[in-house]
Each structure stands twice: as structure tokens, then as C-alpha cells.
Amino acid sequence: MQKFSAWSLLKQAFGGHRGWQPQWRRAAPQSSYDAIIVGGGGHGLGAAYYLASEHGMNRVAVLEKGWIGGGNTGRNTTVIRSNYLFDESARLYDHAVKMWRDLSQHLNYNVMYSPRGVLMLAHSVHDMQVSKRHIHANRCNGVDNEWLSPAECKAFCPPLNIGHDIRYPVLGGALQRRGGTARHDAVAWGYARAADALGVDIVENCEVTGICRDANGAVEAVETTRGRIGSRKIGVAAAGNSSVVMGLAGIRLPLESFPLQALVSEPIKPVLPCVVMSNAIHAYVSQSDKGELVIGAGTDAYTSYTQRGALHVNLHTLAAICELFPAFRRLRMLRNWGGIVDVSPDRSPIICKTAVPGLYLNCGWGTGGFKATPGSAHLFAWTIAHDEPHPLNAPFTLERFRDGLLIDEAAAAAVAH
Ligand code: FAD
Ligand code: PYC
């Protein structure tokens, strides 16, 4: 049944999350559901949407301790790409990149996906060798990636400094043309609106504080700040807090939580046509549709749950960006922020069922889970609905850390950690 008046749809499209309160903000949770998703980020909201739309599960709730999209989904720098080294990762991330293409049409909500190209710079012989290895591996997996000389990098991205007199001269770059950006909070809102329309309950200000199990050890409910809510299927997508939430069920995760930060400049007219990343100097930059330069740094060197990063990390990043793009020296910073990312030992995610019957896990995306949002949500829903992994996420188990079947994507993570 259609739940929105034309007026409420207009407000939803143009009002964003600041003024108008959507229907789900007034909803009280029911006493039980067919499935509960813990975490109202893109991965959790998307999983709820696919549970309802593809698996016929309409009695689904998303429980969010704050507001939807207020975690990493609304804090990230929106880089989308699938140029990962190993076959398993290329398949996983390219599944997502393919879904980005028509996500706006699918959700009837403009997520502003813009495949403007992601250029990853090389500054040393080692960088060049690693880049070319990635390019060859990607192509074997049907993932586009190509090598550009310094002059070709400059032609593709005119503000780039390819002079030889800088500390880290540009020796070339790997370009994934299908890579790009999207509007991060629109992704949360697009999935939320589509899930809500299918009957999913989205409950904000509802922190999960306990995971209850029956006499056989299977999940039967969660304790929350808004009371006990029953379900025989619980999916956890609580990035940054995964270890804390899974600890409620007695499961220890091999993750470390680090602050990762970013900043934007004052808005300017379009100057930067693509995303530029440099693994070696721990910096990357793109320009948002609002005109701000979106600049990201590496993780802090220590674990923490504070949603802000250390000042010196930003200063290092800005020095590197100004060397690569001298014209940007004249800009002023508008704002900065941080999020907490869960980093796994091999820098690859975990999407799996767990040893606790009915408990499913989606975590470990570290610095790079935004790009995976549609694919991850789609596969997580499949895993929950079928009580077994989809072939694309089957390698991304928790057990791989015990069995040594690692998928080591440290070099593809592109952000220092
Ligand atoms: P989130 O959006 O964090 O959602 C998890 C939710 O769980 C949160 O809203 C949280 O409040 C909720 N929660 C936690 N505990 C509980 C509880 N007990 N009960 C109820 N709810 C709970 N990735 C890219 O691919 N490209 C990028 O350019 C990129 N840049 C980044 C830049 C920064 C500064 C940061 C911080 C991250 C970046 N990432 C990037 C990573 C990306 O943001 C994340 O991997 C991704 O958004 C994770 O999505 P999610 O839905 O799993 O998590
Ligand atoms: O994974 O591409 C990425 C990324 C960019 C910035 C943070 N993560």
C-alpha cells in the first residue's frame, strides 16, 4: 500500500533529513519480526530492503541506535571502484559497481552515482609494479583498469602537478573509468524510503544492548533501549561497533576499530573532473556536486571509538594534496569529521552466518565499504534469507582467519592503515 502523500514525497525529495520527520521516526517497534537488522547504515537498510523486495520478508525491522546514515554511511568520502587484486574481491566489489549503475532508477531516488573515473597515482617503481599487477589481475576478471603515463594523467586530470621537482613525482597512474562517486546520505535515505514502502520498520534511537538465545543456543530476541524485540534471524551491520555488538552474543571478532577522517574545502566551481588517490602519500581528493573538494586522510595510528581523528593526520594529508595540486593551496577548509572503521587482518570484509544459529554478520569493511553498499546489502539479505552464503560472499567468512584462507587486499585498500 502506498504510504506517502504527494506532499510528503516532495518534502522527502527536497527537505532532506533536517526539517521534515519521516513516518518511521514516529513508529514504535513491534514485539517480534521475521528478521531484525542491527544498524541503520547503507548496508543494514539495503539488506532490509532486499529481504523485503527479493525474499518476500516483510516483517523486518532495522534497529538504529542513533539516526539512519549517521554512522560511516554519512561520513565517508564516497569513492566507488572495484579494482581489487584477488578474484574473490573483484567479483564482490564489481557486483556492487554493476548495481550502482541503475540504483537511482531502482530505488526511484537519486543517489547521484557519477562514474567519473578513479585515478590511482604511482610515485615509485614499486608503486608502478603494484599498479600494473592490479591492472592485469583486474582485466583477467573483466574489471576495467588501464595504465596512464604522466602526460595522460595530466590530460585526464588537468590540475594535477606532474613536475619532476616535487617530493613524490607522478610516474603514472591506474585508471578505472567505471569508478566514481555517489551521494552518501542519499543512499541511506533511498534504501530507507524503499524499504519503508515495503513495510519494513525502521526504528531510530534504538540501541541493541543484548542478544538473547534460547536453550539450544539459537537467537530469539534482542534487548534494546526500547525494550525486548523477538526474532529468529538477526543480522548485524554495525560498522565501527561490530565487536561490541557481536560480543553481546559471546562472539569475539578479529577486528580493530580506528578513527578515519576527512574534510571538505569551501565550495568552488568545477575544477577536478575525477577522483585522484595516492596510496603512497596517504591522500585522495574528488569534487562533490556542491563544489567542495572532498579530501580524505589515512587512519589514526591507534585504536579508538572517538568519531574524530588526530590533527596531524589531516595536516600531513593537506600538505600532500597541495603538492599534487598547487592551485588548491589557496582554498580554505570548510569542515572536517571522522568515523570509526572496523579493520580486519586482511583488509577484506566478513559477510557470513555465524556459529550462533540465526545470527548473521556483515562487518570488517575498514576504510572501503561505501563502494560495496548495494552489493553487500544484496548478498547479506540473500545469506539471511537462505541461511547460507551466496556464492559471491562464500569466501568472506569469519573462519578464514582461523583457517588461513586470507584475502589480503591491503594494497588495494588505497587508504593508509
Ligand atoms: P554504518 O553506516 O556505520 O552503519 C552502522 C550503523 O550501526 C551506525 O549507524 C551505528 O549507529 C549503528 N549501530 C552501532 N551499534 C549499534 C547498536 N548497538 N544498536 C543499534 N545500532 C547500532 N568507503 C568507500 O568505499 N569509499 C570511501 O571513499 C570511503 N571513505 C570513507 C571516509 C571516512 C572518513 C570513513 C569514516 C569511512 C569511509 N569509507 C569509505 C568506509 C565506509 O564509510 C564504510 O565501510 C561503510 O559506510 C559502512 O557502512 P555500514 O552501513 O556498514 O555502516
Ligand atoms: O576504498 O576507495 C576507497 C576509499 C577511498 C577513501 C576511503 N576509502
Side-chain angles (χ1 to χ4, degrees):
M1 195 178 74
Q2 176 60 269
K3 291 185 175 176
F4 294 93
S5 67
W7 174 236
S8 73
L9 277 175
L10 272 174
K11 279 185 159 176
Q12 200 148 332
F14 298 111
H17 57 283
R18 291 217 164 71
W20 170 74
Q21 297 286 298
Q23 175 161 319
W24 63 74
R25 292 227 159 119
R26 299 190 295 272
Q30 295 172 23
S31 58
S32 77
Y33 290 92
D34 292 341
I36 285 175
I37 303 291
V38 183
H43 292 228
L45 292 162
Y49 167 71
Y50 292 116
L51 280 172
S53 64
E54 296 200 354
H55 303 286
M57 293 175 71
N58 293 341
R59 296 188 63 255
V60 175
V62 179
L63 308 181
E64 165 54 51
K65 74 173 176 181
W67 63 95
I68 60 164
N72 288 345
T73 296
R75 294 166 184 268
N76 73 81
T77 45
T78 79
V79 179
I80 295 171
R81 57 190 175 85
S82 57
N83 52 359
Y84 284 73
L85 183 63
F86 289 98
D87 299 350
E88 296 88 340
S89 322
R91 284 195 284 265
L92 177 71
Y93 288 100
D94 215 45
H95 178 56
V97 167
K98 286 176 181 150
M99 291 180 74
W100 280 111
R101 273 196 310 227
D102 57 3
L103 192 62
S104 295
Q105 288 78 5
H106 190 78
L107 298 178
N108 191 24
Y109 199 104
N110 191 356
V111 300
M112 298 168 80
Y113 170 54
S114 165
R116 57 185 64 182
V118 173
L119 178 62
M120 298 175 84
L121 300 176
H123 305 280
S124 65
V125 171
H126 173 77
D127 276 356
M128 290 170 72
Q129 289 170 341
V130 170
S131 294
K132 289 185 179 178
R133 184 178 177 213
H134 276 76
I135 289 170
H136 295 312
N138 289 163
R139 287 184 172 189
C140 288
N141 278 312
V143 173
D144 66 309
N145 201 353
E146 63 197 87
W147 177 253
L148 300 191
S149 68
E152 288 168 329
C153 289
K154 178 86 179 160
F156 191 72
C157 182
L160 182 65
N161 180 6
I162 57 165
H164 299 294
D165 54 346
I166 58 176
R167 193 160 47 128
Y168 294 103
V170 174
L171 301 185
L175 172 64
Q176 184 177 25
R177 291 183 192 268
R178 283 187 307 142
T181 57
R183 170 85 207 168
H184 49 14
D185 46 6
V187 175
W189 279 71
Y191 273 124
R193 188 179 73 165
D196 179 80
L198 292 172
V200 171
D201 278 355
I202 298 167
V203 190
E204 298 180 301
N205 299 314
C206 183
E207 179 172 357
V208 170
T209 54
I211 295 178
C212 312
R213 296 163 65 175
D214 66 14
N216 298 319
V219 297
E220 59 176 6
V222 288
E223 296 289 354
T224 80
T225 47
R226 296 180 67 170
R228 182 184 167 101
I229 308 173
S231 183
R232 288 283 175 187
K233 286 178 183 274
I234 298 172
V236 175
N241 296 272
S242 313
S243 302
V244 177
V245 176
M246 292 304 284
L248 301 174
I251 294 183
R252 290 193 66 202
L253 300 181
L255 302 179
E256 290 181 300
S257 299
F258 291 95
L260 177 68
Q261 62 185 312
L263 61 103
V264 289
S265 73
E266 57 190 321
I268 52 173
K269 288 192 173 171
V271 288
L272 191 63
C274 59
V275 181
V276 179
M277 310 188 71
S278 169
N279 215 352
I281 60 173
H282 307 172
Y284 57 95
V285 59
S286 64
Q287 187 168 19
S288 74
D289 291 302
K290 286 194 286 185
E292 302 159 340
L293 292 181
V294 182
I295 295 173
T299 55
D300 279 9
Y302 49 83
T303 55
S304 163
Y305 283 112
T306 58
Q307 286 186 309
R308 60 189 159 82
L311 179 64
H312 73 271
V313 178
N314 262 351
L315 295 178
H316 170 91
T317 301
L318 286 173
I321 290 291
C322 289
E323 199 168 49
L324 283 175
F325 299 94
F328 296 170
R329 279 181 207 281
R330 298 174 58 194
L331 292 175
R332 286 167 296 185
M333 186 176 91
L334 191 63
R335 62 178 184 278
N336 70 327
W337 67 90
I340 303 301
V341 296
D342 287 336
V343 177
S344 76
D346 61 1
R347 276 42 177 180
S348 284
I350 300 163
I351 317 177
C352 65
K353 53 189 281 194
T354 70
V356 174
L359 185 61
Y360 307 88
L361 176 60
N362 182 330
C363 69
W365 293 94
T367 60
F370 177 72
K371 65 176 75 65
T373 304
S376 158
H378 186 239
L379 300 173
F380 195 39
W382 205 97
T383 303
I384 294 170
H386 291 259
D387 192 34
E388 63 180 71
H390 184 282
L392 288 179
N393 63 292
F396 294 90
T397 60
L398 191 51
E399 287 74 30
R400 76 179 187 271
F401 302 105
R402 179 197 64 199
D403 301 339
L405 298 170
L406 303 184
I407 306 164
D408 189 343
E409 291 290 358
V415 176
H417 44 33

